[in-house]
Amino acid sequence: MSDWEDEYDEEGTAIQKPAAKSAPTEWKLPCGDSQSKNVFFGTRNGTRFGASGKDRADRRGDYICWRGGGEGRPFPPSTGRGGEGRRPFGYGKSDFSPPVTITVENASVGRVIGRGGAKIRELEESTGARIKINKGEYEGEVVIFGSSAAQQKAKEMIEDLVADGSSRFHSGPGGMADHGRGADGGLKNGSVWSAAETQAASGAPARVSIDWNTIRENKEKYEELKWKDLPPMKKKFYTEAESVSILTAEEVSEWRKENNNIFVDDLKEEGEKRPIPNPCRTFLEAFELYPEIMENIERVGFAKPTPIQSQAWPVLLSGEDLIGIAQTGTGKTLAYLLPGFIHMDGQPVPRAERSGPGMLVLTPTRELALQIETECNKYRYKGYKSICIYGGGDRRGQINLVKGGVDIVIATPGRLNDLQMNELISLCSITYLVLDEADRMLDMGFEPQIMKILLDIRPDRQTVMTSATWPTGVRRLAKSYLKNPMIIYVGTLDLAAVNTVQQTVLIVHEEEKKSYVFDFIQNMLPEDKVIIFVGKKLMADDLSSDMCLQGLAVQSLHGDREQCDREEALKDFKESRVRILVATDLASRGLDVHDITHVFNFDFPRNIEEYVHRVGRTGRAGRSGTAVSLVTRDDWRMAPELILILGRTGQEVPEELVLMAERYEKHKREKDMCNPRGGQGHGGRGWGRRDGGGRGGRDRGQNWGL
């Protein structure tokens, strides 16, 4: 007979207690091992205590093992991990039901778990059940512990979560089918089938042969069937003002040159090139026929359009697809929002008869999504309703908002793809699509989600893509999902940091970084405001903790923080309650904070584009700024491109950085000689070109350049 026997607590978690026997011959630890220390071990006479090592081996009595963190990981009720609020076995048994087991195919297990375990935590919090997943070779088991009501609720939510028909659900041993049945109840092992029938049906599944060649050959036919009943759509809403139409080619060219060197091109691949619309130099030239928009602009108090707005509005109102390449903070959001409002209002299908939203804006981060939603609300038009959908937010609340009816969806790709795959949102009604900060979305690995989302959006839509750079990945995405777009570059076509920022580069050892950053902080003036960029979330927490211990007012911003904490951190920084923000590259784009005086690169970014974005957080809205970057030996591959950036803006280039670049170039040449087929030798990345293009650099002659 075993020294211990299994029981279950009120939430279904397995626990052990000494078996009923008169004189146990050997003491066995119920959880953890004999080397574990400082572990809450049990109770004696109602008092909880901890025991460690040798002490535990000598104890006898009726002990209780609290287990909530997984096998062999006991936690006291006070820790908040698993054991919080639990009672020992013997209490509340009337509320307990044996665990329910649901079997799902391995392909669907990820939906139950969610990114980083977010979905399974949400299910546990909303149902009160505890959920464990055992993944097998072909299918996984979802085991649900808790009361009957909690189990049933969790089971229904999990079945809703997994797409109909994509998984096979059945109750396993101890599952719902076992309730109230004994050995003669006709249900053995939770199945309605006999053992013989079960065995006969348990053979290997039949292989399904898919003729992929036929599917590819008939792709256009399948797409035509999918979209054959589309309602009509209108794209053209532009009437050129007389003051715009009378501009000569020379006047237009001079205006573009004076306004950040705007360059416009037609990327139509076949047939004659289309004429490029002349820019609208005032708001009235663009929106004279739309008085409600003019009222909103006058209310906000803008004096004149930004360069990208002036050129983008006539292109978009003419119904063309557009690629806008410009740095953050240049007015790209308003450049696509206002034409989007007009586009939705002008559709032939009345608003009340549409099956879903008409406009979708995809964006890489929650912060940028919320900022775009703020702009939507500021320029509210015709009562159109917008919502923000992003991971980390209240999923159930977002679903309810979608079901309540919405006109504009602003979303991060991950959460929108989640709702789309579970058929909780329809995208077939969208006629105006925006891919905002496309390069950043690709950097963050969102391309698979973007591609799945676009499959459900009508192919004759109008599409806008904005990006701060023009690397190969963005070109590929643009070529696949935009139709004969026009492209607008604003600013120099070479990648370069802003001229209003003084850039200082310091060559240091890794272990010296913290002393440099604390030196910098001690010399800050009371009105200074700094973002300190780090490469890893762990370093953001570590550095901000060190600063807090020294009495500094600091906030941190990174992807592992809860959404409410991220919003609070950003608000504190914007409103200057704290003047130091430690952040990952989450804060390098799209954050609308105009009074940042300094950027401090504690860790140098992984590519030169990100360096430009970080530096661009300061020196905004006509102000000057300062950027300090720490460079270590490990960053030597970035030295050649960094020298080009510094040179273009007339910054001082440290001699040590030049030597570092020379050593790296020599190393690269030697490596290329050893590996002549590789050419690039660094994961396919093309490092700094002497012609000034840089990695993913913007080149007029390369338009699609694939």
Side-chain angles (χ1 to χ4, degrees):
M1 183 176 179
S2 171
D3 295 294
W4 294 85
E5 60 187 19
D6 286 334
E7 281 207 12
Y8 296 91
D9 68 9
E10 63 180 21
E11 295 187 18
T13 303
I15 59 175
Q16 292 179 315
K17 72 173 185 177
K21 55 198 242 181
S22 55
T25 57
E26 181 182 2
W27 174 263
K28 292 186 179 180
L29 298 178
C31 50
D33 55 52
S34 61
Q35 303 304 314
S36 299
K37 296 182 179 180
N38 300 323
V39 176
F40 172 69
F41 188 64
T43 64
R44 173 175 288 165
N45 299 326
T47 303
R48 292 168 30 215
F49 63 87
S52 61
K54 182 175 178 297
D55 292 337
R56 288 206 302 259
D58 297 332
R59 298 188 188 276
R60 298 290 188 273
D62 185 16
Y63 295 112
I64 300 164
C65 176
W66 298 81
R67 302 177 61 189
E71 189 67 30
R73 291 170 58 198
F75 298 106
S78 60
T79 63
R81 296 185 59 187
E84 186 169 2
R86 296 189 181 183
R87 289 171 291 178
F89 60 80
Y91 292 93
K93 286 189 177 179
S94 61
D95 297 331
F96 163 71
S97 294
V100 172
T101 301
I102 300 176
T103 302
V104 298
E105 293 176 353
N106 279 345
S108 300
V109 167
R111 293 189 186 178
V112 181
I113 298 172
R115 182 178 291 182
K119 178 54 59 184
I120 200 167
R121 287 196 298 271
E122 183 182 324
L123 288 168
E124 289 181 332
E125 289 170 3
S126 59
T127 63
R130 289 279 179 255
I131 300 170
K132 182 180 179 183
I133 294 181
N134 302 314
K135 196 169 182 180
E137 187 175 357
Y138 300 107
E139 56 187 15
E141 287 185 340
V142 182
V143 187
I144 308 171
F145 302 95
S147 66
S148 296
Q151 288 176 338
Q152 184 62 31
K153 185 176 179 183
K155 182 174 182 289
E156 290 172 357
M157 289 182 70
I158 291 169
E159 289 176 345
D160 288 341
L161 185 63
V162 180
D164 291 339
S166 66
S167 301
R168 298 185 302 276
F169 295 97
H170 63 265
S171 295
M176 297 296 286
D178 288 331
H179 293 179
R181 303 291 182 95
D184 302 325
L187 295 181
K188 187 175 181 180
N189 294 328
S191 175
V192 297
W193 307 104
S194 68
E197 289 170 322
T198 303
Q199 187 174 359
S202 62
R207 292 186 176 274
V208 179
S209 178
I210 300 175
D211 188 349
W212 291 107
N213 288 330
T214 303
I215 290 174
R216 291 189 189 100
E217 289 170 5
N218 292 281
K219 179 185 174 185
E220 291 183 3
K221 176 184 172 184
Y222 297 143
E223 284 186 354
E224 187 178 338
L225 288 172
K226 179 177 180 178
W227 300 109
K228 66 176 182 176
D229 295 323
L230 283 176
M233 185 180 71
K234 182 180 177 184
K235 291 184 181 179
K236 299 182 184 296
F237 302 97
Y238 185 54
T239 302
E240 192 174 55
E242 185 180 351
S243 57
V244 175
S245 62
I246 63 173
L247 291 172
T248 65
E250 292 76 15
E251 287 173 329
V252 170
S253 176
E254 186 63 26
W255 184 90
R256 288 174 179 158
K257 186 176 181 181
E258 291 173 355
N259 284 268
N260 289 21
N261 194 27
I262 294 175
F263 173 76
V264 193
D265 196 12
D266 178 13
L267 298 186
K268 186 178 180 182
E269 294 182 323
E270 297 178 1
E272 188 178 347
K273 296 275 187 179
R274 297 160 294 181
I276 307 293
N278 292 341
C280 297
R281 298 161 298 174
T282 67
F283 291 112
L284 195 62
E285 287 179 340
F287 303 115
E288 186 176 6
L289 301 178
Y290 306 99
E292 195 169 330
I293 284 183
M294 285 302 302
E295 287 174 12
N296 284 333
I297 290 171
E298 289 167 3
R299 175 174 50 81
V300 173
F302 283 142
K304 66 175 184 176
T306 66
I308 193 169
Q309 291 167 0
S310 296
Q311 189 61 73
W313 285 336
V315 172
L316 290 174
L317 290 171
S318 298
E320 308 294 349
D321 284 7
L322 177 69
I323 301 166
I325 309 294
Q327 295 296 327
T328 55
T330 53
K332 286 184 288 187
T333 304
L334 211 59
Y336 61 70
L337 273 185
L338 297 185
F341 294 157
I342 294 168
H343 172 99
M344 286 194 301
D345 187 50
Q347 293 311 305
V349 179
R351 186 174 171 186
E353 298 175 17
R354 297 173 199 168
S355 60
M359 178 175 171
L360 170 64
V361 181
L362 283 178
T363 190
T365 66
R366 309 170 193 176
E367 283 73 21
L368 192 51
L370 290 167
Q371 193 167 295
I372 294 167
E373 185 186 31
T374 301
E375 290 296 296
C376 265
N377 293 331
K378 187 190 298 183
Y379 297 94
R380 187 176 296 277
Y381 184 68
K382 303 281 186 180
Y384 284 127
K385 182 182 176 184
S386 62
I387 64 164
C388 205
I389 294 175
Y390 53 86
D394 176 10
R395 183 176 183 271
R396 181 65 58 189
Q398 292 172 4
I399 292 169
N400 290 337
L401 286 173
V402 171
K403 288 180 177 177
V406 65
D407 303 294
I408 304 167
V409 173
I410 302 148
T412 53
R415 174 55 62 86
L416 182 63
N417 185 226
D418 168 28
L419 301 189
Q420 172 199 19
M421 298 300 286
N422 287 286
E423 299 181 354
L424 296 168
I425 188 171
S426 172
L427 304 178
C428 62
S429 58
I430 288 167
T431 56
Y432 190 86
L433 169 69
V434 181
L435 304 174
D436 196 19
E437 299 279 10
D439 52 346
R440 181 66 169 150
M441 287 196 285
L442 295 185
D443 285 346
M444 293 174 71
F446 280 131
E447 187 169 6
Q449 288 90 344
I450 294 170
M451 293 173 71
K452 289 176 186 175
I453 288 165
L454 298 189
L455 287 174
D456 281 350
I457 302 176
R458 55 189 292 166
D460 59 344
R461 65 186 177 260
Q462 184 173 5
T463 308
V464 189
M465 174 185 284
T466 76
S467 181
T469 55
W470 189 225
T472 302
V474 175
R475 298 180 194 193
R476 183 180 65 250
L477 194 69
K479 194 168 186 179
S480 299
Y481 295 105
L482 278 76
K483 290 187 177 179
N484 297 324
M486 291 189 176
I487 187 166
I488 300 174
Y489 294 106
V490 176
T492 174
L493 300 185
D494 291 328
L495 187 64
V498 289
N499 294 312
T500 55
V501 180
Q502 179 187 345
Q503 301 167 59
T504 302
V505 175
L506 303 174
I507 313 298
V508 302
H509 295 291
E510 186 69 35
E511 60 272 15
E512 297 175 329
K513 284 183 173 182
K514 281 194 176 179
S515 62
Y516 271 92
V517 75
F518 280 109
D519 246 7
F520 170 83
I521 289 171
Q522 286 173 2
N523 290 304
M524 283 177 62
L525 298 175
E527 64 274 13
D528 286 348
K529 183 182 283 191
V530 62
I531 297 183
I532 300 172
F533 282 106
V534 296
K536 296 181 178 179
K537 303 167 188 174
L538 188 63
M539 179 53 73
D541 286 335
D542 178 49
L543 199 55
S544 57
S545 296
D546 285 351
M547 292 178 183
C548 284
L549 290 173
Q550 294 199 17
L552 297 170
V554 61
Q555 274 282 16
S556 66
L557 187 65
H558 59 74
D560 276 355
R561 297 201 70 187
E562 293 293 333
Q563 182 60 28
C564 57
D565 295 330
R566 287 166 63 166
E567 291 176 16
E568 182 183 3
L570 192 54
K571 186 177 181 183
D572 285 348
F573 188 61
K574 280 185 174 181
E575 297 176 0
S576 299
R577 281 194 287 271
V578 299
R579 292 186 169 271
I580 304 170
L581 179 67
V582 182
T584 59
D585 283 328
L586 184 70
S588 68
R589 303 198 190 196
L591 299 188
D592 190 20
V593 183
H594 292 297
D595 58 346
I596 297 170
T597 58
H598 293 77
V599 165
F600 193 102
N601 288 314
F602 183 87
D603 294 319
F604 202 82
R606 65 187 182 279
N607 59 56
I608 205 67
E609 290 92 345
E610 214 57 57
Y611 170 81
V612 172
H613 288 303
R614 288 183 180 184
V615 169
R617 293 304 93 207
T618 185
R620 295 165 70 86
R623 298 178 174 90
S624 60
T626 301
V628 178
S629 302
L630 305 184
V631 175
T632 69
R633 179 179 174 81
D634 290 340
D635 302 315
W636 71 329
R637 64 181 177 81
M638 304 306 304
E641 291 181 299
L642 180 56
I643 289 172
L644 291 174
I645 294 293
L646 297 174
R648 290 192 195 117
T649 51
Q651 308 288 331
E652 181 181 349
V653 179
E655 186 177 347
E656 291 171 282
L657 189 65
V658 175
L659 295 174
M660 184 183 284
E662 290 173 353
R663 287 196 300 271
Y664 175 74
E665 294 285 9
K666 181 182 177 183
H667 164 77
K668 191 171 68 169
R669 285 194 299 271
E670 291 172 352
K671 191 165 185 176
D672 288 347
M673 289 176 65
C674 295
N675 181 25
R677 290 182 63 194
Q680 292 172 326
H682 290 270
R685 284 177 154 177
W687 303 113
R689 301 201 310 268
R690 294 300 180 188
D691 63 3
R695 177 178 172 267
R698 292 176 266 172
D699 185 346
R700 293 186 188 186
Q702 282 187 325
N703 289 337
W704 294 99
L706 299 177

